[in-house]
Amino acid sequence: MEGPATMTSAATTTLDATVPRLHEAFVSAEPVLTALDEIAGDGDFGVNLRDGFTEVTQRLSGPDSPSPWDAVRAVFLDEVGGTSGPLFGLLFQALGVRAAQSDTYADALRLGLADGLAAIERVGEAQVGDRTMVDALAPAVETAATDRDDHAALVNSAVEGALSTSSLRARRGRASYLAERAVGHPDPGAIGMALLLCVLAEPITAPETTARERTRLLEAAARAAPARDDT
């Protein structure tokens, strides 16, 4: 006798549906993220995120493929290189857990982001002001806790936090040894995090709002990024 079927929550279904959009977003943003990371990092940040979501898409196209968000979580925790890959993986894991437990996608996003931030701060030991992805994620979490219904404000807080890293000196990672060189350019991890939140907020935010904030984020990042020589 078979056991009861496992029910997929509406929040999980919505989270799963963001995966193709995330793939598109990070493929498109890879040149800017890579150019920013070449200033004071290893230059592989944008490529790692792009390749991570490409691997997710490949896994989902095969037989007996996992659910979309399970694939995202597994790939970023176990396969994506660099420091940032596993940290994004912790956030994805937290979002997946909350989606399975929450009645609404809005609740899953709010609680999952808070849990993910706590995990990233615990493992990465970064705080606001260290010029990392936390500078985009923490303001979004704070905004979501203050006003649960203003999802546009969540996105705006993430974008503002990411762009504010232009004036910060790095205190974590390789960039901390090249702090002066990075000043004047936003942190790629923060830009990547804000882009992620723009896409994750799309199901519960007016499309023109997330599109406007995403454009503002990437245009500002592109202006600050050095030109790449691909010859």
Side-chain angles (χ1 to χ4, degrees):
M1 180 176 178
E2 294 183 358
T6 300
M7 297 295 291
T8 300
S9 72
T12 297
T13 299
T14 302
L15 192 60
D16 283 343
T18 67
V19 174
R21 293 284 293 147
L22 288 168
H23 184 199
E24 177 272 328
F26 282 99
V27 168
S28 178
E30 180 274 319
V32 170
L33 296 175
T34 295
L36 287 175
D37 196 40
E38 286 172 345
I39 297 170
D42 294 327
D44 59 356
F45 177 71
V47 171
N48 285 341
L49 293 185
R50 180 200 66 194
D51 290 354
F53 280 107
T54 299
E55 171 65 19
V56 169
T57 300
Q58 291 173 347
R59 290 191 183 191
L60 295 178
S61 66
D64 300 321
S65 61
S67 67
W69 203 257
D70 279 347
V72 170
R73 174 192 54 77
V75 167
F76 277 82
L77 281 176
D78 300 331
E79 303 294 337
V80 175
T83 303
S84 297
L87 295 179
F88 273 96
L90 290 172
L91 176 62
F92 297 152
Q93 179 171 264
L95 285 165
V97 169
R98 285 296 189 174
Q101 298 171 342
S102 299
D103 293 330
T104 68
Y105 179 73
D107 283 345
L109 189 60
R110 174 176 56 85
L111 296 171
L113 292 179
D115 291 347
L117 173 62
I120 289 170
E121 289 181 330
R122 181 179 68 253
V123 174
E125 299 183 343
Q127 301 293 324
V128 171
D130 284 347
R131 188 183 161 89
T132 70
M133 64 177 68
V134 169
D135 288 297
L137 180 56
V141 168
E142 182 177 356
T143 298
T146 302
D147 191 341
R148 298 184 179 185
D149 298 320
D150 194 348
H151 310 303
L154 181 156
V155 175
N156 179 263
S157 295
V159 171
E160 289 293 332
L163 296 180
S164 75
T165 59
S166 292
S167 62
L168 298 176
R169 290 170 56 92
R171 297 190 298 224
R172 293 283 174 185
R174 181 185 174 195
S176 64
Y177 301 103
L178 300 166
E180 293 299 335
R181 180 178 173 182
V183 171
H185 307 278
D187 175 65
I191 296 294
M193 179 61 72
L195 176 59
L196 173 76
L197 297 185
C198 285
V199 177
L200 289 178
E202 286 179 349
I204 51 176
T205 310
E208 61 271 17
T209 298
T210 52
R212 181 181 64 249
E213 289 298 294
R214 177 175 166 178
T215 298
R216 181 167 74 94
L217 173 76
L218 293 178
E219 286 184 349
R223 287 193 298 269
R228 296 178 66 190
D229 183 5
D230 294 325
T231 60

